[in-house]
Amino acid sequence: MKLAGLKSVDGAHEESIWAAAWAPAADHRPTAVLLTGALDETVRAWLPDDLAALGSPTRGHALGVVSLAAHPAGSLAAAVSLDSFIRVFDVDTGASVATLEAPPSEIWGVQFHPKGNALAAAGGGSGSVKLWDTEKWKAITSLAVPRPEGARPDKTGSGKFVLSVAWSPDGRLLACGSMDGTIAVYDAVRMKFLHHLEGHHMPVRSMVFSPVDPHVLFTACDDCHVHIYDAREKGLVGAMSGHASWVLSIDASPDGLAVATGSSDRTVRLWDLNMRTSVQTMSNHSDQVWAVAFRPPGGAGVRAGRLASASDDKSVSLYDYS
Amino acid sequence: MTSVYIPVQGTEEEVQVALDQLPHDASDILDILKAEQAPLHLWLIIAREYFKQGKIEQFRQILEEGSGPEIDEYYADVKYERIAILTALGAFHTFLGKVDRAPQKESHFKDATQYYNRASRIDETEPSTWIGRGQLCIAKGELQMASDSFKIVLDEDENNFPALLGQASVYFLMGEAEQQHKKSLEHYRNSLDLYKKALRVYCNCPAAVRLGIAFCRYKLGQVEKARQAFQRVLELDPQNVDALVALAIMDLQTNEAGGIRRGMEKMKKAFEIYPYYTLALNHLANHYFFTGQHFVVEQLTETALSSSNHGLLKSHAYYNLARSYHSKGDIETAGRYYMASVNEISKPQDFVLPYIGLGQIQLKFGDFKSSLGSFEKVLEVHPENCESLKAIGHIHAKSGETEKAIETFKKVTRIDPKDHQAFVELGELLVESDWAAAMEYLKTARNLLKKAGEAVPVELLNGIGLLHFEKGEFEMAEQSFKEALGDGLWVSIMDGKVGSSMINWSVQNKDQSFFHQLEGVPLELHSNKVTTLFNYARLLEELHDSVRASIFYRFIIFKYPDYIDAYLRLAAIAKQRNNVQLSIELIGDALKIDEKNPNALSMLGSLELQSDEAWLTAKEHFRNAKEATKGDTYSLLQLGNWNYFAANRPEKKAPKIEATHREKAMELYQTQVLKQHRSNMFAANGIGILYAEKAKWDVAKELFTQVHEAASGSIFVHMPDVWINLAHTYFAQGHFQQAVKLYQNCLRKFFHNTDATILLYLARTHYEAERWQDCRKTLLRAIHLAPSNYLLRFNVGVSMQKFSASTLQKTKQTVDEVRATVTELQNAIRVFSLLSVASTYHSHGFDERKIETHVEYCKHLLDAAKVHRDAAEQAEQQNKQKMEVARQIALAEEARRRAEEQRKFQLERRREEDELKQVKQQEEHFQRVKEQWKTSSNTPGKRKDRSKTEDEEVGNKKRRRKGIRRKDQKTKMQYGEEEDEYKDEPEADDDYADLARYNGADNSERAPDHLLAAAGLDDSDAEDDMGHPQSAIERKRRAWSESEDDEPVKKPAAQPSPGADGLSE
């Protein structure tokens, strides 16, 4: 289990890069495409093997892109900007497909349902997860995060500020992480709140379910820790520490054996899930690493694992994962 | 059975007296002896027999009777027997004198002398008297006089056996007493010669004579011959204890197992033969000491003490007793016996060992001065005795004389470069002052131990680990700690074998039961490893592996529930993870163990300071901490910070109270902390803040700059606050560049660029410097980091609005610029409207109307911008036209210039022609004048000519000036245009003035005294809440972590250092 640096593009954007996502290979396109979004209000696409730029930057993501998600079919992607719009666009042409918003809620993390029929978005201060269908781009519902029993109301009113969302690979569970560190888990079939996962007390900015075990949820938190939860059984089953600062992003390897994290300590770490320990630290970035993403399996002739990372230092890096 | 026969007076009969059946009462015999006027030699025989049987009283009775005046009278002619009786008595008293204690001693010797004197009066040439006198002198220690006595005899008869023996023993004793080695050998040699002679004179002499030979040979270093001699003695007299003991000692001195065993057998045999032989008793005691049979030791030494008056032997005996008690741990008794042992010897050269023991015990009782004295006595005898030197070094170290201690230990390492203890001590002494040397010494010690194949002590490895730790060499440190800890639960934890779900969950919930549930894992934690495990956990924290660190702390608490530091570290980890509730609970646990623990109190206080309800009780805890530590720097600082914090609480209160708090804070920083530690950076920083609040910028800046310099010089000090404070000061004085630089450095250096508050300060600086784009980007970054901070969103709106407005104000805008402005305004409107709607269910502290106003204003601006855009587009068009016109004008100008030049040229040529003409004319004229001179003398034409040339010149000038004038007019026109544009400005400014008023008068609020706090773009009140306490809390946090960081460093001091215990024989 290791990472080997393949390629880095310095100055991939004019400003800090805050989001990255892989659009999987599609019928019309044999390879996956890496998408990155930045403070420079653009989204760019990159070829998977040499990080050659694909087309010109898509502009108009006002105030900077904070989150990116690709539709599992590979042709569409959603970008969230600080102006609280979700812009759905065609990966290959960059053409706008839909612009979504849920005012007055701002939008943070977004994720497509693994089957691709819905888009979930973390609704920030509205304390809810917003859902849209992906055919007509109509809002389906808004899942409110209930306040945990006994919690004291704080100054911001609702107390919950939702930052991140994650679907389980079987599409049965939906989790959302918030500023105060609690994670709400929903039954995604019946759209019902199940319970809170506790253990973090600082913002949870990124979450991912294990691709091999649909109950297991990995969370990245400002408390420098990665937690491993059994999202169904409501249990903290593990914690991993090692980052010197906030853990900003997390992704699970397609083989389910490892997770990669990006941190404001400027490093990318690879964690062995059996040993529950950090096995490798990549220090090629010179500023906060806001996004890490494993390339999804599939596509022509790409058996090799790939990990991409994007950073405040305006660079994008690609690693071989084996 | 031998008997004596006392002849009955006047008859042929004799009374038979069986010598083994002598009556108990000597008077019976005496009566017979007197009645029958028995020959004196019979008296002697009977007396001697009593003596042999140990009936000393009877012996004395007979001899004293036999030396009485009646006998002298009656046996006046029996000289020899009378002398024999007197010398016997003399010898008896000599013996008593030798054995008895001081007061009786003297009287016995006096008696002995008197008897000899009487014997001499009977016959002064009698050799036995002289021999007796000689023995007496030996007993009194007057060796020279003894020698003289024996010499008198030997002069008379050089083969006198007793005299030979006497003289030999005198020489032997002289040899013993002699200080100089050579001379003493000379004496032994003389002694040996005399013993040999004695043996030749009397071949069948008692075995004891050979003993003399043997001792002499032993003393002369002829060990083999001595051994042979002792063995010969034993052959002749198997019961000879002296020979046995001597041989035993020689065997023991071989220091081999076999030799020691043989020696001990001989010792035991000697003990069986004669149980009161002190030397044997001492040796036996010594042996049993090493075999650990302390009871036997005590018995033997007590016997030895009661059966000897010899100082040195008694000293040995006391020493044995002392040592026995010492090893049993009864150091008070041991100390007394060591003292007794020391008192028995006159100079340390005789027997130095008890001084070591005494020194150790004095050291243990903390009597450094006496202990030092004892060990220095040892050094008098053995100047290079490492154990004593180490003890002395230890005493120096304990009494704070580090320099002396280091010197002493260095001496030890010079004498014995393999003494690992000395290296360890050196290392520990140098830890504070010289990192590299300390490391070197500790490593040497470790290598020595490893080479010797000995186990390296946990403390030593811990020390090495800590040194690496301090230097930031974490891998090396980890290696050392691991080596020190060896095998245990921690290995499984590090492997990842243990540390699963259960532990993670339990660690967070303070549940210890999981340790019980662990199976097949060793759960031991020896007390000497606790510190190392704690340090290892600290190291893991430093490596950011707080999960494992927490498990280690939990394990320590599980095994040693009173280990407060482990609770506090767990609390600190919980606090770092923002789990305040757990943190407070853990501190509560710690306070249950020790309610006055200053660290726990301080920590609790700073936690409470963060919460809204408990900040008042924080003061109580800081105060308690101060009292518990008797007012150390840290607790004073905290109190100072608390006062500062209290002064800046947002609650409405009298300005008087606020001022009082500030004054109190100042007093604590300045007079209390700085008085103790002149270089305390935290106090200086605090004072700087207080000055800054009074707008005394120069003083504040001076302070901050100094602290900043000091803090950047040290890798151990983390003081981001002073960076921020200094930046605030620069900001307040308008040095935006420097402020930006400092904020950025601080963010990068201390916060991994994650602190949204500092980004806010940075944004405000950009704002003041009117760098709108930088400001906007900085704010966007801040929002990204702190998504729920709506204030930042508002500020972004303002910055975009400002940017747009300022773009629109610019004299020239490109179309792109104006288009960007339009977009920006649309964004601003979106931001404001989102905020406006959000505020319906969020109470984020904005006045909805205010946001509305901003929206309105932005919309207005947007309209204006659109106009501007159109205008700009138009202007662009016009510009193009203008440029075309300008080009044409330029062309025309060019043409005109050329024409002008042409004209000028022609003019010039004409002028030249004119001049030529003039010259010609003048010449002509001259000719004419000449002719006129010839005829008349009037010259009106001359003036006319001159004016003509003048006119010519003025005309040229005028033309040139005209050209300039034209240029002037052109510039004026441009200025005019600009002036018009300036005129536009006031209107725009008016708009901003309005805006400023809407914004809560943020311009007026921007007075310097609020600058430190109001780093936001707006809402200076809200900023006050954030800015000030922030830095205060930060400072506290830093200060706290600072004190925590000290802990591992302090640890080694708490280690039991090898001292008294390690220095046993």
Side-chain angles (χ1 to χ4, degrees), chain A residues 15-16 18 41 83 85 101 104 106 108 125 201 205 223 225 227 237-239 241-244 246 287-288, chain B residues 501 504 544-547 577-579 748 752-754 776-777 781 784-785 787-788 790 827 830 841-843:
Chain A
E15 274 297 339
S16 303
W18 285 348
E41 309 189 345
D83 63 359
F85 280 119
E101 61 169 324
E106 57 282 350
W108 289 89
H201 294 83
R205 291 174 194 263
D223 65 9
H225 283 61
H227 277 186
V237 294
S241 55
H243 276 301
W246 302 357
D287 211 335
Q288 302 170 341
Chain B
S501 51
N504 286 316
H544 312 292
D545 193 348
S546 47
V547 169
R577 299 192 61 184
N578 202 24
N579 194 345
R748 181 164 272 270
H752 291 106
N753 286 346
T754 56
R776 167 184 180 271
K777 268 181 202 156
R781 280 179 210 282
H784 193 207
L785 291 167
S788 56
Y790 287 97
N827 285 335
R830 170 143 180 103
Y841 61 87
H842 281 299
S843 49

Side-chain angles (χ1 to χ4, degrees), chain B residues 233 566 618 772 887:
Chain B
V233 173
W772 316 115
R887 199 172 60 89

